[in-house]
Amino acid sequence: MKSKELKLLIILFGQLLAIMDIFIINVSIPSIQRDIHVSNGDMQLIIASYLIGFASFLITGGKLGDLYGRKKIFIIGLVVFMLSSITCGLSSNSLVLIISRFVQGISSALMSPQVLSMIQMLYPAHEERTKAMGWYGVTIGLGTIAGQFLGGYFSSLNIMDEAWRLIFFINIPICLLAIVLGLRILKESKTADTAKFNVFGVVILVLGLFCFTYALTSSEQGKFDGKSIFLVFISIAILFYFIKNQSNRAKKSQSYLIDFTLFTYKNFNLGILAVSFFFIMLDSYFYILSIFFQEGLKINPLDSGEIIVFQGLGFVLASVFSTKLIVRFGKKILIIGLLLIISVLILQAYLFTEGVSWVLLYALLFIHGVGVGSIIPSLANIALAGIPKDLMGNASGVYITFQQIAAIIGIIIIGSIFYYFLGGKPLVSNYQKAFEMTISSNIVCLFAVIIIIAKVPDHILPGKK
């Protein structure tokens, strides 16, 4: 294997861990709730806390890599990820697990921006870089597959009590291998930037996002109390202050986290909107599907994980071939992919019932994955097309941040819709109704993405004439 390919493999290893641990917990939700007595609201916060840490520190992680070295921050991310995985696996209550998952998310945010930056440096030529980004997309699909499968597999093992803890301990040998190889093979790189790190901006952003998300997740089944409403208003005020603070610092030529001139680019705004609606749909779908399979259709965790693996296989397959179709046919492929997802979701809402054929489960999940895989790689291309090189790193961080915040919002809002229709004493028929209503919400999000994609200028994704 060539040195360049080996370096790519190592950094994609870090990305695989970050993606895998978003999904690995989904299939284990019922086991965790049963063993450490976690409420639905706390379970939503356990899921979301990883995404909160991830979303809140992505821009920070990118800036740290620029200032102090991308290899160094990548390795630090791996070490913190390993340590937080250990504390996750040893958690005895929901609070410890929430905090540990939050730290896991932060460590993933330290790794992910370095992956994108190092790919740009390893592959300066356009054609090579396009292929590398294709493998980056495949890594997302493999992370989804590994997360869903390993979550179900470990939760079903009988070798120890509370076997779900193994979903976190498996990260230890993987991290150790990546750390050793990374230290030996990766080369250091950083931007010649003497600007001071904007710690105050990081604190404001994290505080605002945490207050907002905690307010929503603590309101189980969508029932808001006075405390939740108060926290929402406080978070909005904090985030408004963050925007004003960052704008003022930019005007004074001081260090800042976000360059708001990015939002003067139409395609960037369209890309941000599209990825936000898409990930509100996608992450809430995975969260609810695992619960529906195990609690509604009474499918055991291992079988549930194996079924969802077919979605990941479709994603990987589409990621490999979709870029070629986009080059030839332009944004029409995206609209076709979105309509395909909508069609499959409608079929799932009506056909995923007790006694459903396993072949039908496999087929519909696979086709769903094909639709998803045909969309995700191109959303970033829409957002970043035409962005100046000096803003590209900042734009990438902001893009991924919006993507992750949307995932949090999807889990919280659409998850609350699911629990609302499920009711206090869930029956099989209630699970079916709750699943149908959340699928309806997902479809609304997808139609919003279609409208946004239709507004993307033809020169962004032109296709061949």
Side-chain angles (χ1 to χ4, degrees):
M1 181 179 290
K2 297 180 181 178
S3 174
K4 187 182 293 189
E5 293 172 345
L6 185 56
K7 291 174 183 176
L8 177 64
L9 181 62
I10 293 169
I11 59 178
L12 289 180
F13 229 162
Q15 188 64 31
L16 179 68
L17 283 170
I19 297 299
M20 187 173 73
D21 266 59
I22 293 175
F23 295 100
I24 198 168
I25 198 170
N26 286 355
V27 185
S28 305
I29 289 171
S31 300
I32 295 172
Q33 287 188 292
R34 180 180 62 250
D35 291 338
I36 59 175
H37 310 293
V38 177
S39 68
N40 289 335
D42 282 346
M43 196 68 232
Q44 283 181 278
L45 190 54
I46 289 169
I47 300 292
S49 60
Y50 181 94
L51 297 173
I52 296 169
F54 194 25
S56 301
F57 284 86
L58 276 164
I59 297 171
T60 303
K63 190 68 173 179
L64 286 170
D66 288 342
L67 292 176
Y68 303 111
R70 298 178 181 96
K71 173 184 174 180
K72 182 185 297 182
I73 300 302
F74 180 75
I75 297 297
I76 290 173
L78 282 170
V79 172
V80 177
F81 190 91
M82 180 177 67
L83 295 176
S84 57
S85 294
I86 293 172
T87 59
C88 282
L90 297 175
S91 298
S92 59
N93 57 63
S94 60
L95 179 61
V96 175
L97 191 51
I98 288 167
I99 294 172
S100 299
R101 288 282 290 174
F102 180 70
V103 176
Q104 257 195 331
I106 294 174
S107 62
S108 295
L110 295 179
M111 291 187 287
S112 291
Q114 317 319 323
V115 173
L116 290 174
S117 297
M118 286 191 275
I119 286 176
Q120 299 298 316
M121 298 193 67
L122 281 172
Y123 298 95
H126 175 70
E127 185 174 346
E128 281 191 322
R129 187 168 63 248
T130 301
K131 291 180 181 179
M133 290 303 295
W135 285 111
Y136 177 81
V138 169
T139 301
I140 295 175
L142 291 176
T144 304
I145 294 173
Q148 301 286 359
F149 176 76
L150 291 177
Y153 177 74
F154 287 127
S155 296
S156 301
L157 289 178
N158 295 318
I159 61 174
M160 60 179 286
D161 292 333
E162 302 181 356
W164 58 268
R165 298 181 186 276
L166 293 173
I167 70 176
F168 300 112
F169 292 145
I170 188 61
N171 293 330
I172 299 172
I174 299 174
C175 286
L176 286 172
L177 178 63
I179 290 167
V180 172
L181 292 176
L183 287 171
R184 293 185 59 184
I185 296 170
L186 295 179
K187 300 296 183 182
E188 189 58 280
S189 66
K190 61 182 179 179
T191 302
D193 192 340
T194 58
K196 294 181 179 180
F197 184 63
N198 185 206
V199 176
F200 184 62
V202 173
V203 173
I204 299 171
L205 179 61
V206 172
L207 183 60
L209 289 173
F210 183 84
C211 287
F212 179 75
T213 310
Y214 180 78
L216 294 176
T217 52
S218 63
S219 303
E220 192 172 333
Q221 299 182 9
K223 297 177 182 177
F224 279 77
D225 54 19
K227 181 187 72 174
S228 299
I229 296 172
F230 176 73
L231 280 175
V232 168
F233 280 109
I234 289 294
S235 65
I236 292 172
I238 293 172
L239 293 173
F240 179 79
Y241 175 74
F242 170 78
I243 294 171
K244 186 176 180 180
N245 172 267
Q246 295 293 291
S247 298
N248 289 337
R249 292 182 68 88
K251 290 176 183 177
K252 296 177 182 179
S253 298
Q254 296 175 331
S255 60
Y256 52 84
L257 290 177
I258 299 177
D259 190 328
F260 287 96
T261 59
L262 286 170
F263 297 98
T264 63
Y265 293 88
K266 179 182 178 181
N267 58 287
F268 183 75
N269 292 329
L270 290 173
I272 290 294
L273 283 173
V275 78
S276 296
F277 278 107
F278 193 79
F279 273 83
I280 286 173
M281 177 279 301
L282 188 62
D283 280 63
S284 65
Y285 169 81
F286 278 121
Y287 171 70
I288 290 162
L289 189 68
S290 295
I291 299 172
F292 177 64
F293 275 177
Q294 294 180 59
E295 300 298 326
L297 301 185
K298 306 301 180 184
I299 299 173
N300 66 55
L302 178 58
D303 289 338
S304 179
E306 289 178 350
I307 294 168
I308 298 174
V309 161
F310 279 80
Q311 199 274 352
L313 292 174
F315 183 103
V316 171
L317 182 65
S319 296
V320 173
F321 295 105
S322 65
T323 51
K324 296 180 181 178
L325 293 173
I326 291 290
V327 169
R328 184 172 181 181
F329 298 107
K331 65 183 183 182
K332 293 178 182 177
I333 295 299
L334 298 184
I335 294 175
I336 291 172
L338 290 164
L339 291 173
L340 178 65
I341 299 172
I342 290 171
S343 300
V344 171
L345 288 179
I346 292 172
L347 289 175
Q348 289 181 9
Y350 287 100
L351 298 179
F352 282 6
T353 57
E354 279 192 298
V356 61
S357 163
W358 287 80
V359 174
L360 186 60
L361 285 171
Y362 294 150
L364 291 180
L365 265 295
F366 179 81
I367 297 171
H368 182 275
V370 170
V372 171
S374 68
I375 304 300
I376 289 181
S378 294
L379 294 181
N381 287 337
I382 292 172
L384 303 179
I387 300 294
K389 291 183 179 180
D390 60 328
L391 293 178
M392 188 60 73
N394 202 216
S396 299
V398 172
Y399 172 84
I400 303 173
T401 300
F402 269 86
Q403 174 181 309
Q404 296 306 317
I405 291 173
I408 298 169
I409 292 172
I411 290 171
I412 294 166
I413 301 298
I414 299 183
S416 295
I417 293 172
F418 178 82
Y419 287 123
Y420 176 82
F421 284 97
L422 190 59
K425 296 181 179 179
L427 305 171
V428 173
S429 59
N430 290 10
Y431 273 103
Q432 192 70 46
K433 178 65 174 179
F435 184 63
E436 290 174 4
M437 294 308 298
T438 53
I439 287 295
S440 299
S441 303
N442 290 157
I443 290 173
V444 170
C445 291
L446 289 169
F447 273 116
V449 179
I450 290 175
I451 293 171
I452 295 165
I453 295 298
K455 294 181 178 295
V456 173
D458 289 336
H459 69 272
I460 300 296
L461 297 172
K464 292 183 178 179
K465 302 297 182 181

